[in-house]
Amino acid sequence: MTSFGATEIVNNIAANGQQFNSTFKIKGQMYHKVGSLLPMPNESHKFLQIYFMGGEDSERALANRVDARCDYHNLNSPFARRIVTDLDALLNEHNELLKLFKSHMHKLQSGNHAIVINPDRTPAGEHVRRFNAPVVDDVAGIMVGDRTATRQIVIRRRNNNLQFISDTHRSYDALQCPLIFWKGQDGYCVNIKQRDPVTGAETNKNVSSKDFYSYRLMIRSGRDNIILRCRELSQQFMVDMYVKIESERLRYLRYNQQKLRAEEYIPLRDAIAKTADTAEIGNSVILPSSYVGSPRHMQEYIQDAMTFVREYGRPCLFITFTCNPKWQEITSLLLPGQNAIHRHDITARVFKQKLKSLISFITKSHVFGPTRCWMYSVEWQKRRLPHAHILNWFVDKIRAEDIDSLISAEIPDPSTDQLLFDIVTTNMIHGPCGILNRSSPCMVDGKCTKRFPKDFINDMVTHIDGYPIYRRRSTENGGQSFIKTISNADIDMDNRWVVPYSPLLSKIFNAHINVESCSSVKSIKYICKYVNKGSDMAVFRIENTNVNAPPLNENDEITNYQIGRYISSNEAVWRIFGFQIHERDPAVIHLAVHLENGQRAYFTDDTALDRAINQPKTTLNEFFELCNRADAFGAFAQTLLYSEVPRYFTWAQSKKWMPRKKGTPVDACPGLFKSNNLGRVYTVNPRQTECFYLRLLLVNVTGPLSFQDIRKVDGQQYPTYKDACLALGLLEDDNQWDSMLAEAALNCTGTQIRLLFAIVLTTCFPARAQMLWDNHKDSMTDAILYRYRTRYNDLTISFSDAMYNESLIAIEDLCIAIANLPISHFGMSSSNRSASDLLNTDMNRELQYNTVEMAGIVSRNVPILNDEQKIIYDRIMLAVSAGQGGFFFLDAPGGTGKTFLISLLLAEIRSKNGIALAVASSGIAATLLDGCRTAHSAFKLPLNIQNNPDAVCKIKKTIVYGHSAETM
């Protein structure tokens, strides 16, 4: 009855160009619209209007509607007509919404009258009726004019407008899926109350949309669930409802951000002290890291994963576990006529239990040895199946000589283990691809992205990228093979096509379980690929094409997330059931790092004053308080690094570090216990220099008592955290940079040395940048000194503060271009830039010519001009010396001396310290004249003038060309 719309409905395309839709997938935002009951004149029926095709109710109404619909959709078979007839009769007899529209249609006397459906059910007795069919008088009324609420559905007799339907409207589900909710039953609405599971009494809490639809998708004994019988339609329903769930959460985050904001404590305190409007303090709309799948969440997840690497080194095993749709647990629950692709709810629930069993089997049964920590991330194949990427760290690292006994990349011998042979040949064979099957999904540009087939090798070899090259013996050396039929062709498959597996895990779980022994952090980057390559997100740009609309907020992270996301039906049902996307053990505790009084303060309009007066507590502030305790716990805390605190103390709800009461007893501190939890100090960008060096101290200094105490080294108090790091030897000295710049001064120009120095500043962060400048400022400024001596023809000119300042400005321009940071950020004194003294590199380039050399060129070449060249030369120079200006066009065949004459004119003007601009139409022509540039480069001409007739030159007055153009 309503339209189904999304930013993009994704069709899965295989490598051979064929389309497969075993899963329903959309990109971006989803929306539904409803129109009028009748179409405009000469327009076709659509959406709700198709239920009124064929005329009003009469004896021939059913036949008329069936004829009209079948003709409209070109349905000619008797079987199709019978289905349409039965569906029409079913909906007209039982669908209460359709009855409502038809019973009220005659009351719509004009286009100003409308049927209004209320968004929420009215109470009947003591409780809200949640699943009853709608009653006409209860749900609707006739409205005249346009005075409806935002969530009401307004349907008119005939107009050309489509109305968006709120996803919180109770008729949302029935209008979109009339075949599932064929009685017009109510769906989710915001005022459904939770009930006490024991007494059945209503509580004061509302049912969330996730709980509502999770309930609707469950299988219950003795009750038929029609949603699960609808195959592809149920997949669309799952995606639609998950988008509703996600939209509800995102709306909560958006609306509460108008009340809840975050600001650093010092700016908040200062703003309140100056009686500032609290509504103007804080940041714009963000999508917090607590929202699973958001960019901030994935960034935190990759950092937590690297905490495991920092603490325990490389992972031992990387396991990819894929759901097997032929598991008996799945096939036994399918309804007659269904396949696993029709029941994503079953595959999700079974795979969740299998994944839990696999993790338990590895970590508790110690099949590969005692486990130290583990983590996994769940993803979905393009076609349909969920799979998990699992990382495992063991107490005893896997040695190279043990790999062959744990992992195999060979086909088992069927004579010794027929069961394993069947499992491997069914689940662990890649492809085939390449010349054997060019339409395989792994083929890109004619090559296999997984690098199959592999080479035969008799012994395992450790590979440099972190994964070993497993043993794959040929049939001549004892390897096995079997025949696989692909497209009616028999193909001999050998060990080159085997995906590495664990025989033990494969036999137990009968699925595709790829097991790799790894020795690098590449696997962590893969498991968190949402951060590294943006999986299931789209690259987009928001543009506002309506000039009258309010400006778009480019910093609205929630809108950006909604537009760029992809949602498939198999992921939707996983999320509806509330299954975890990521899990890990042990926990990683996040530790704040901030300068003194620089912590985040979360506040509302009502609490802003209190937050400004009372300093917020953070893990860092309380770490100092813990170290200052006078008891045994405080003395023990002084032996710990900041990141080690979560092992022995827990961050309580009271915002304090409390001693742990469970775990391994600590002998050095009775009453204290050690856990396996890890602490991660938040990363700090090196651009935040002092905070960056504070973090460096926190990860190296044990038991600091305060922000001041951590800057004390050997009894001496240092003014900055950077100085304290230098005193502790945490920063390298600048000897290598000093030597490098000294060597560069021997064979590089000043311009090249300035560029080198700017790169060192922005990427290497020298400890004492000002000292480097003081030692090498002469070599960085020598080109400027040379230009001054040449311009004024005076070799006695020496370095001056103005020259050094010009050099600093050039270096700062390079730093801004590279890192968008001024030189003061790197600990150097700022350059002196006044409004009228902005460095003009174009002007300097035109003034750097050697006037003596230019005069020599003139004196040598003027006497050899021919008569015509001499006339042109004298005429142009007369116009220049008299300041007359003018246009001169030289037209002569090639080789007659045009370039020679123009070069002489340029040298004449430059010999008198004047500015002569040489501009050519092409790059090749520009190479013929000294200092020549193309017109597009010099005057910033647009390149797409054919497509944009209104394009203009982007030349500025502050550059030499703009100044010259302005004065001509």
Side-chain angles (χ1 to χ4, degrees):
M1 295 185 187
T2 64
S3 70
F4 179 91
T7 306
E8 180 183 344
I9 299 177
V10 180
N11 292 318
N12 295 318
I13 305 296
N16 57 8
Q18 297 180 352
Q19 178 176 320
F20 57 91
N21 285 317
S22 57
T23 182
F24 185 81
K25 189 174 186 179
I26 64 105
K27 170 204 167 192
Q29 294 177 311
M30 184 182 293
Y31 49 86
H32 295 295
K33 294 181 179 180
V34 66
S36 59
L37 297 179
L38 298 177
M40 299 296 289
N42 301 322
E43 291 189 5
S44 60
H45 293 72
K46 54 187 177 182
F47 311 143
L48 182 60
Q49 298 162 1
I50 66 174
Y51 294 91
F52 296 89
M53 297 177 72
E56 301 288 344
D57 286 335
S58 64
E59 295 180 357
R60 287 287 304 164
L62 177 59
N64 291 340
R65 288 195 299 272
V66 172
D67 291 340
R69 290 169 183 163
C70 291
D71 293 341
Y72 180 76
H73 294 284
N74 297 321
L75 300 176
N76 300 319
S77 68
F79 184 71
R81 293 182 61 87
R82 180 179 176 183
I83 293 176
V84 173
T85 301
D86 293 343
L87 290 176
D88 183 278
L90 173 70
L91 294 175
N92 277 276
E93 179 180 356
H94 297 286
N95 192 287
E96 296 297 335
L97 287 173
L98 196 54
K99 291 180 182 179
L100 180 150
F101 299 144
K102 291 190 174 183
S103 64
H104 284 72
M105 186 174 177
H106 68 280
K107 300 179 183 179
L108 304 181
Q109 302 173 6
S110 68
N112 203 33
H113 291 69
I115 300 175
V116 179
I117 305 179
N118 297 322
D120 302 315
R121 295 302 306 269
T122 56
E126 296 181 357
H127 304 292
V128 176
R129 291 171 290 174
R130 301 191 299 171
F131 303 106
N132 297 334
V135 179
V136 172
D137 295 335
D138 179 44
V139 301
I142 300 299
M143 178 272 299
V144 180
D146 191 14
R147 301 185 300 273
T148 59
T150 56
R151 292 173 56 231
Q152 291 178 332
I153 297 177
V154 180
I155 301 177
R156 302 183 186 275
R157 179 181 179 87
R158 192 191 305 270
N159 69 9
N160 207 22
N161 298 325
L162 294 177
Q163 176 199 357
F164 284 97
I165 299 179
S166 171
D167 56 11
T168 58
H169 197 289
R170 59 193 173 89
S171 297
Y172 179 94
D173 300 354
L175 288 172
Q176 172 58 28
C177 302
L179 297 183
I180 295 180
F181 304 100
W182 52 277
K183 292 184 179 181
Q185 303 98 313
D186 284 349
Y188 171 75
C189 61
V190 295
N191 62 356
I192 300 176
K193 297 295 182 181
Q194 294 183 9
R195 294 179 179 273
D196 187 287
V198 178
T199 64
E202 284 188 354
T203 66
N204 59 352
K205 295 183 178 180
N206 291 334
V207 174
S208 68
S209 55
K210 188 186 79 69
D211 292 338
F212 180 87
Y213 289 107
S214 178
Y215 176 89
R216 296 298 297 267
L217 292 178
M218 287 296 176
I219 302 173
R220 289 176 173 81
S221 177
R223 297 180 61 180
D224 191 15
N225 191 338
I226 191 173
I227 298 175
L228 304 179
R229 290 183 174 272
C230 295
R231 297 194 177 188
E232 286 78 8
L233 182 58
S234 68
Q235 296 180 8
Q236 179 178 329
F237 175 78
M238 293 171 185
V239 172
D240 201 348
M241 296 310 108
Y242 175 65
V243 171
K244 178 189 294 189
I245 295 169
E246 194 176 55
S247 299
E248 185 179 56
R249 295 182 59 201
L250 293 174
R251 276 195 299 269
Y252 173 83
L253 294 173
R254 179 182 299 278
Y255 295 152
N256 280 271
Q257 286 197 359
Q258 304 303 319
K259 302 176 182 178
L260 182 64
R261 297 179 297 280
E263 190 59 87
E264 289 187 359
Y265 177 65
I266 292 179
L268 171 64
R269 184 185 62 191
D270 295 343
I272 296 298
K274 296 176 182 178
T275 64
D277 184 2
T278 56
E280 299 179 356
I281 309 172
N283 299 322
S284 58
V285 180
I286 65 171
L287 188 58
S289 59
S290 59
Y291 190 88
V292 177
S294 68
R296 294 173 185 268
H297 168 262
M298 295 309 302
Q299 182 62 34
E300 281 203 349
Y301 193 74
I302 184 66
Q303 295 294 338
D304 291 347
M306 297 308 296
T307 301
F308 286 174
V309 178
R310 182 201 70 200
E311 187 69 22
Y312 301 121
R314 62 174 177 83
C316 297
L317 289 182
F318 178 31
I319 301 174
T320 301
F321 179 37
T322 304
C323 177
N324 184 355
K326 297 181 180 180
W327 276 331
Q328 193 272 337
E329 293 88 344
I330 293 178
T331 57
S332 62
L333 294 176
L334 296 175
L335 298 174
Q338 288 184 338
N339 295 321
I341 62 173
H342 301 138
R343 295 295 300 277
H344 293 320
D345 61 312
I346 294 178
T347 57
R349 289 159 55 193
V350 172
F351 181 71
K352 174 61 178 177
Q353 293 300 318
K354 292 282 188 178
L355 177 60
K356 183 179 179 180
S357 299
L358 175 61
I359 296 295
S360 177
F361 182 69
I362 295 175
T363 59
K364 296 181 179 179
S365 299
H366 300 165
V367 291
F368 300 111
T371 302
R372 194 181 294 276
C373 57
W374 56 268
M375 63 184 304
Y376 73 75
S377 176
V378 178
E379 299 174 4
W380 286 266
Q381 291 177 335
K382 182 189 296 184
R383 294 178 181 266
R384 61 185 180 273
L385 297 175
H387 63 276
H389 299 303
I390 309 168
L391 283 173
N392 289 276
W393 284 259
F394 301 124
V395 174
D396 299 320
K397 297 293 184 181
I398 296 178
R399 296 173 298 179
E401 56 268 24
D402 298 330
I403 291 179
D404 284 337
S405 62
L406 300 177
I407 302 173
S408 175
E410 295 185 318
I411 300 172
D413 187 351
S415 62
T416 58
D417 198 333
Q418 181 66 44
L419 175 61
L420 182 60
F421 174 84
D422 294 339
I423 293 174
V424 170
T425 54
T426 302
N427 299 310
M428 303 307 300
I429 302 299
H430 177 84
C433 56
I435 59 176
L436 300 177
N437 183 15
R438 297 191 181 277
S439 63
S440 178
C442 65
M443 296 294 293
V444 176
D445 297 330
K447 297 181 180 180
C448 175
T449 57
K450 309 300 182 183
R451 301 180 182 179
F452 280 91
K454 306 291 187 179
D455 296 328
F456 287 120
I457 185 171
N458 292 329
D459 296 296
M460 186 274 301
V461 177
T462 302
H463 200 265
I464 191 172
D465 68 355
Y467 295 105
I469 300 177
Y470 301 99
R471 182 179 62 186
R472 298 174 185 271
R473 291 172 293 182
S474 63
T475 53
E476 292 80 8
N477 291 326
Q480 302 291 324
S481 65
F482 72 102
I483 302 298
K484 185 175 183 178
T485 303
I486 302 292
S487 301
N488 298 323
D490 292 338
I491 300 176
D492 186 21
M493 307 295 294
D494 51 34
N495 289 332
R496 295 176 298 169
W497 302 97
V498 179
V499 178
Y501 64 94
S502 166
L504 176 62
L505 297 182
S506 294
K507 290 185 68 174
I508 293 177
F509 292 94
N510 186 21
H512 177 94
I513 307 179
N514 176 209
V515 181
E516 300 275 2
S517 174
C518 52
S519 58
S520 74
V521 297
K522 280 189 175 182
S523 51
I524 292 183
K525 294 181 181 180
Y526 180 61
I527 202 172
C528 301
K529 68 178 182 180
Y530 293 104
V531 174
N532 295 278
K533 77 177 187 69
S535 176
D536 290 337
M537 293 295 289
V539 178
F540 61 92
R541 181 179 65 183
I542 302 176
E543 294 183 350
N544 193 350
T545 57
N546 185 357
V547 296
N548 297 320
L552 294 170
N553 183 5
E554 296 183 357
N555 295 322
D556 188 342
E557 297 180 7
I558 293 179
T559 299
N560 293 346
Y561 172 79
Q562 287 180 300
I563 293 176
R565 67 187 172 184
Y566 282 92
I567 301 175
S568 62
S569 53
N570 38 30
E571 179 181 0
V573 70
W574 185 279
R575 296 290 193 96
I576 290 174
F577 287 151
F579 297 154
Q580 293 293 325
I581 302 294
H582 314 288
E583 279 195 273
R584 61 174 178 244
D585 184 74
V588 177
I589 310 300
H590 299 160
L591 303 175
V593 54
H594 56 81
L595 298 177
E596 188 173 9
N597 291 331
Q599 64 267 43
R600 287 284 181 177
Y602 297 90
F603 62 95
T604 65
D605 291 339
D606 297 331
T607 62
L609 180 60
D610 177 68
R611 291 291 187 271
I613 296 174
N614 300 314
Q615 185 183 85
K617 295 181 179 180
T618 66
T619 55
L620 179 56
N621 286 337
E622 292 305 308
F623 172 53
F624 293 146
E625 293 294 328
L626 176 63
C627 293
N628 279 291
R629 288 179 59 166
D631 55 10
F633 296 130
F636 183 78
Q638 293 183 19
T639 65
L640 301 177
L641 293 173
Y642 185 33
S643 59
E644 296 174 338
V645 173
R647 284 185 177 272
Y648 305 93
F649 298 87
T650 180
W651 183 245
Q653 292 183 351
S654 59
K655 303 292 184 182
K656 291 184 178 181
W657 288 111
M658 303 298 294
R660 291 194 177 274
K661 299 181 179 179
K662 295 182 179 180
T664 305
V666 178
D667 297 334
C669 185
L672 186 64
F673 295 85
K674 179 182 178 181
S675 69
N676 59 352
N677 288 350
L678 301 177
R680 175 172 71 83
V681 183
Y682 280 116
T683 56
V684 178
N685 194 304
R687 294 184 178 185
Q688 302 175 13
T689 51
E690 278 300 274
C691 195
F692 175 81
Y693 293 118
L694 170 61
R695 184 186 186 278
L696 186 58
L697 290 172
L698 288 172
V699 298
N700 287 278
V701 178
T702 59
L705 303 178
S706 64
F707 288 100
Q708 293 74 29
D709 182 66
I710 201 172
R711 298 200 303 267
K712 186 180 296 184
V713 180
D714 296 330
Q716 181 178 351
Q717 186 73 40
Y718 287 89
T720 66
Y721 299 108
K722 183 177 181 179
D723 291 334
C725 290
L726 286 170
L728 286 172
L730 300 178
L731 299 178
E732 294 182 357
D733 56 34
D734 294 333
N735 291 337
Q736 70 271 31
W737 311 127
D738 191 76
S739 301
M740 179 190 68
L741 292 173
E743 182 179 352
L746 299 176
N747 51 20
C748 296
T749 65
T751 302
Q752 293 172 326
I753 299 174
R754 288 197 297 268
L755 176 59
L756 181 62
F757 185 56
I759 294 174
V760 170
L761 287 179
T762 55
T763 61
C764 303
F765 306 103
R768 302 188 185 278
Q770 184 65 41
M771 184 178 297
L772 288 176
W773 161 253
D774 292 337
N775 293 340
H776 301 280
K777 61 183 178 181
D778 288 350
S779 62
M780 298 183 201
T781 316
D782 59 2
I784 299 174
L785 174 64
Y786 175 77
R787 189 180 73 239
Y788 272 81
R789 289 176 175 176
T790 302
R791 181 187 303 175
Y792 299 105
N793 197 19
D794 184 0
L795 297 179
T796 63
I797 297 177
S798 60
F799 292 106
S800 65
D801 290 340
M803 296 181 190
Y804 291 141
N805 183 65
E806 187 175 328
S807 182
L808 280 176
I809 292 176
I811 294 171
E812 188 167 52
D813 288 341
L814 291 170
C815 291
I816 292 174
I818 296 173
N820 197 27
L821 289 172
I823 57 176
S824 59
H825 177 83
F826 306 103
M828 293 182 58
S829 56
S830 300
S831 58
N832 182 18
R833 290 177 182 259
S834 61
S836 60
D837 192 35
L838 295 175
L839 184 62
N840 194 326
T841 56
D842 296 300
M843 184 74 75
N844 287 332
R845 181 172 57 247
E846 296 301 326
L847 293 176
Q848 68 181 356
Y849 294 100
N850 190 319
T851 57
V852 177
E853 291 181 2
M854 296 294 105
I857 294 174
V858 173
S859 62
R860 290 192 303 270
N861 292 293
V862 167
I864 62 176
L865 291 173
N866 61 33
D867 294 339
E868 291 185 353
Q869 290 174 333
K870 189 68 169 63
I871 293 173
I872 297 171
Y873 176 81
D874 292 339
R875 178 68 185 89
I876 294 177
M877 289 310 304
L878 177 62
V880 172
S881 60
Q884 296 175 351
F887 292 95
F888 302 91
F889 181 73
L890 299 183
D891 185 16
T896 57
K898 295 189 300 296
T899 302
F900 172 75
L901 176 59
I902 296 173
S903 298
L904 187 57
L905 290 168
L906 293 173
E908 174 69 24
I909 296 173
R910 290 166 178 169
S911 67
K912 299 177 181 178
N913 234 0
I915 296 178
L917 306 181
V919 180
S921 59
S922 67
I924 295 177
T927 62
L928 301 178
L929 300 174
D930 188 20
C932 186
R933 299 173 64 184
T934 64
H936 286 83
S937 173
F939 303 120
K940 305 298 185 291
L941 299 180
L943 298 176
N944 59 342
I945 192 170
Q946 295 85 358
N947 300 328
N948 185 10
D950 299 326
V952 296
C953 302
K954 297 182 179 179
I955 191 170
K956 299 179 181 179
K957 293 183 179 180
T958 56
I959 66 175
V960 64
Y961 299 96
H963 179 74
S964 301
E966 183 186 32
T967 56
M968 282 195 300

